Structures are given as structure tokens and as C-alpha cells.
């Protein structure tokens, strides 16, 4: 599973998205979208703005919405507030395992050059 880390408080522009997609394809091959999830950081900024994660996603740019659709809606928000490092790691691990199960435990097949 590849994790694409994006800041929730900085919009994803089309140029960044194209670069990210090209990099993912180069690293993981044409099936990159089946093995990638987005982790949103800086969710505390959303809380300061009194915006929920759902509101953030509904107001997301077309670029971000398209990226999330491409990776089959696999995303989660990192929430450092009121959690120990161990609790945060457990949340990450559980979410990643959930995505791996959704993917039927498939692995990335790299081409040998």
C-alpha cells in the first residue's frame, strides 16, 4: 500500500496532481490506483475553521475529488488531537489493513527491466 500524504489545509492543484499521478505510475505501474490511499494531515486546521471532514470533502476541488475517485475513495485523516503516538499508530495500522482487505490482499507486481 502506497500512502500519498496531503495537507488538508492546502488545496491540491492540477499541476501537483499530474506530477503525483505520473510519479505513482512510474513507481507502482499502471495499477497504482489499486494500491494507493491518501492520508490528510493538518486536520486540526479544519477543526479550527469549524469544518468537518465531510464538509471538507464536499467542498474539495475537482482535482482532489477526481484523485479520490481514481483511488477508489481510499483516504483517511490523521488526527493528532487528544491521542498518544501509540493510539495514532494503531489507527493508521487499522485503516491500512482495512484497505488491504478491500483489495483482496493483492500485491503490486513490479516489471523487471
Amino acid at each position: 500500500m502506497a500512502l500519498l500524504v496531503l495537507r488538508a489545509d492546502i488545496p491540491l492543484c492540477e499541476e501537483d496532481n499530474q506530477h503525483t499521478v505520473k510519479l505513482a505510475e512510474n513507481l507502482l505501474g499502471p495499477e497504482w490506483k489499486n494500491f494507493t490511499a491518501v492520508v490528510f494531515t493538518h486536520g486540526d486546521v479544519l477543526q479550527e475553521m469549524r469544518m468537518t471532514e465531510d464538509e471538507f470533502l464536499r467542498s474539495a476541488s475537482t482535482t482532489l475529488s477526481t484523485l479520490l475517485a481514481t483511488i477508489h475513495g481510499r483516504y483517511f485523516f490523521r488526527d493528532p488531537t487528544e491521542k498518544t503516538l501509540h493510539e495514532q499508530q494503531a489507527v493508521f495500522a487499522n485503516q491500512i489493513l482495512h484497505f488491504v482487505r478491500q483489495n483482496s490482499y493483492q500485491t503490486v507486481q513490479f516489471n523487471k527491466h
Side-chain angles (χ1 to χ4, degrees):
M1 176 67 55
L3 299 177
L4 173 59
V5 180
L6 299 176
R7 290 181 58 154
D9 62 333
I10 298 178
L12 178 67
C13 70
E14 183 59 34
E15 183 178 316
D16 290 339
N17 184 52
Q18 288 176 357
H19 176 72
T20 300
V21 168
K22 187 175 278 189
L23 179 63
E25 286 178 350
N26 288 341
L27 291 172
L28 302 174
E31 296 299 315
W32 71 274
K33 61 186 171 250
N34 296 324
F35 301 97
T36 304
V38 169
V39 179
F40 289 106
T41 64
H42 293 76
D44 53 327
V45 175
L46 297 180
Q47 290 175 347
E48 290 172 10
M49 295 172 27
R50 300 192 195 294
M51 180 181 277
T52 66
E53 293 170 1
D54 287 338
E55 290 170 333
F56 168 77
L57 293 171
R58 281 195 302 272
S59 66
S61 67
T62 303
T63 301
L64 180 57
S65 297
T66 301
L67 174 63
L68 293 176
T70 300
I71 61 170
H72 312 292
R74 285 189 295 266
Y75 66 87
F76 58 100
F77 287 81
R78 180 179 171 270
D79 181 13
T81 57
E82 301 180 24
K83 290 190 173 142
T84 66
L85 181 58
H86 181 70
E87 289 171 327
Q88 290 177 46
Q89 290 171 338
V91 169
F92 259 48
N94 285 335
Q95 192 62 53
I96 291 168
L97 286 172
H98 172 73
F99 293 146
V100 170
R101 277 187 226 106
Q102 279 183 329
N103 209 25
S104 301
Y105 300 95
Q106 295 179 41
T107 58
V108 176
Q109 301 298 316
F110 293 101
N111 294 329
K112 295 180 182 178
H113 296 281

